[in-house]
């Protein structure tokens, strides 16, 4: 296959995954929450098991008027939803789906690239908060910035542990080096990474920046129509990205029976299983207060991640 055609195929595949997988997760969230909480509404649209609920939501967002506050910085206000989405698209380029080069762009420093790009998300929060000219949005943005900057540390430390264990920063290299006993050895790092990832994408119970009971809807308060839909899409893409990174770093990625033929399927199964857990947590735990959220980060996750990093270093030195 010519290089240019191979490049086009890879980019199209990543864009398709970027557009389709979040919608699948969003539809799953509607159904899972409907069953767990006894919600009737999401089970009616389209008659059979509410299959058209996501379509109905899309039509609703398209029909809504796109309004910007009179005092808003309109250029920044309109750009913020795109900034929220774009980093996740770049991350998907580096996540391996299967063995034998089944990745859009294999990077020797793929883990470093992914973590660096994920850190851009805080800019979207600050941009939308400041540009909205709304005190609730500003408070939500400040909460979001404090949360994202705080949870970056345990996220990076946990990822560094598994990278040290594998001896590489390449995401395909980490999957190839993975062994089943790592499920126990790296379990603390996996738990820290998963919890910090939830906080990074501001999913419940880490949704203080958009606490509707206090801040209306936080930094998204002034957004309507498609721009609001883009923020919601960014949340679902974030679920896919965190689930994919957890799968690649800690759950063995494509490892499973007949991995050479079905590796891509094992990766997707694990990604959707982790996504289900993320949805399950939303309906199971109440929102953390700001002090609880910061205490969990600095007094629990950071020490555990540091301890796991030291343990990994000792094992690497002694073996």
């Amino acid at each position: 296959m010519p290089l240019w055609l191979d490049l086009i195929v890879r980019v199209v595949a990543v864009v398709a995954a970027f557009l389709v997988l979040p919608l699948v997760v969003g539809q799953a969230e509607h159904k899972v929450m409907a069953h767990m909480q006894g919600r009737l509404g999401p089970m009616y649209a389209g008659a059979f098991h509410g299959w058209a609920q996501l379509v109905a939501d899309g039509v609703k967002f398209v029909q809504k008027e796109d309004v910007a506050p009179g005092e808003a910085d309109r250029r920044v206000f309109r750009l913020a939803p795109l900034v929220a989405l774009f980093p996740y698209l770049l991350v998907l380029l580096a996540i391996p789906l299967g063995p034998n080069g089944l990745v859009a762009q294999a990077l020797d420093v793929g883990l470093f690239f992914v973590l660096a790009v994920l850190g851009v998300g805080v800019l979207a929060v600050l941009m939308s908060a400041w540009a909205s000219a709304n005190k609730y949005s500003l408070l939500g943005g400040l909460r979001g910035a404090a949360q994202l900057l705080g949870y970056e540390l345990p996220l990076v430390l946990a990822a560094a542990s598994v990278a040290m264990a594998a001896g590489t920063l390449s995401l395909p290299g980490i999957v190839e080096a993975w062994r089943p006993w790592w499920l126990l050895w790296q379990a603390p790092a996996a738990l820290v990474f998963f919890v910090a990832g939830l906080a990074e994408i501001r999913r419940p119970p880490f949704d203080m920046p958009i606490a509707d009971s206090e801040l209306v809807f936080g930094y998204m308060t002034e957004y309507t129509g498609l721009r609001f839909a883009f923020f919601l899409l960014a949340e679902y893409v974030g679920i896919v990205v965190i689930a994919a990174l957890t799968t690649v770093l800690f759950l063995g990625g494509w490892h499973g029976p007949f991995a050479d033929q079905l590796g891509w399927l094992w990766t997707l199964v694990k990604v959707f299983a982790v996504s289900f857990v993320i949805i399950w947590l939303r309906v199971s735990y109440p929102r953390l207060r700001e002090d609880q959220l910061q205490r969990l980060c600095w007094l629990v996750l950071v020490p555990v991640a540091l301890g796991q990093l030291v343990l990994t270093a000792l094992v690497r030195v002694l073996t």
Side-chain angles (χ1 to χ4, degrees), residues 39-291:
R39 296 186 178 190
L40 298 179
M43 309 303 288
Y44 276 88
F48 178 72
H49 209 68
W51 66 269
Q53 180 62 49
L54 204 63
V55 177
D57 289 341
V59 172
K60 175 184 67 176
F61 284 125
V62 169
Q63 291 178 333
K64 287 187 174 181
E65 184 180 1
D66 183 15
V67 178
E71 300 297 324
D73 186 329
R74 293 176 180 268
R75 182 178 301 176
V76 177
F77 181 84
R78 291 170 177 167
L79 187 61
L82 299 179
V83 176
L85 275 170
F86 190 65
Y88 294 127
L89 176 60
L90 294 181
V91 169
L92 289 177
L93 289 171
I95 295 178
L97 184 61
N100 306 316
L102 194 57
V103 57
Q105 183 60 55
L107 300 173
D108 292 337
V109 290
L111 181 59
F112 177 81
F113 170 79
V114 164
L115 294 177
V117 172
L118 284 178
V120 177
V122 67
L123 292 179
V125 174
L126 292 175
M127 288 170 64
S128 59
W130 180 259
S132 293
N134 180 298
K135 61 181 179 181
Y136 296 109
S137 297
L138 182 59
L139 287 172
L142 293 176
R143 283 183 180 182
Q147 177 171 316
L148 294 176
L149 293 175
Y151 278 84
E152 279 284 338
L153 182 58
L155 186 80
V156 171
L157 290 175
S161 175
V162 73
M164 183 184 297
T168 179
L169 288 173
S170 167
L171 293 179
I174 291 174
V175 179
E176 290 172 359
W178 184 87
R179 296 295 179 268
W181 63 278
W182 286 18
L183 290 172
L184 295 177
W185 178 35
Q186 296 294 324
L191 181 61
V192 170
F193 185 90
F194 179 72
V195 173
L198 284 182
E200 287 291 303
I201 58 176
R202 300 167 296 283
R203 287 283 299 184
F206 301 98
D207 57 340
M208 278 299 293
I210 53 174
D212 52 345
S213 59
E214 304 171 30
L215 303 178
V216 186
F217 216 61
Y219 58 90
M220 293 188 284
T221 297
E222 297 292 353
Y223 283 89
T224 59
L226 283 178
R227 299 189 193 280
F228 181 74
F230 285 161
F231 271 117
L232 293 185
L233 179 61
E235 178 180 336
Y236 289 121
V237 181
I239 293 176
V240 173
V241 166
I242 293 302
L245 288 176
T246 303
T247 296
V248 167
L249 295 177
F250 300 101
L251 301 181
W254 62 72
H255 285 284
F258 308 105
D260 289 338
Q261 295 79 28
L262 299 177
W264 61 271
L265 180 60
W266 285 115
T267 300
L268 289 178
V269 167
K270 294 175 184 178
V271 167
F272 284 117
V274 176
S275 299
F276 172 79
V277 173
I278 293 175
I279 296 171
W280 192 354
L281 289 174
R282 175 176 181 174
V283 299
S284 302
Y285 290 93
R287 180 185 302 126
L288 294 178
R289 298 195 312 265
E290 185 68 22
D291 61 313

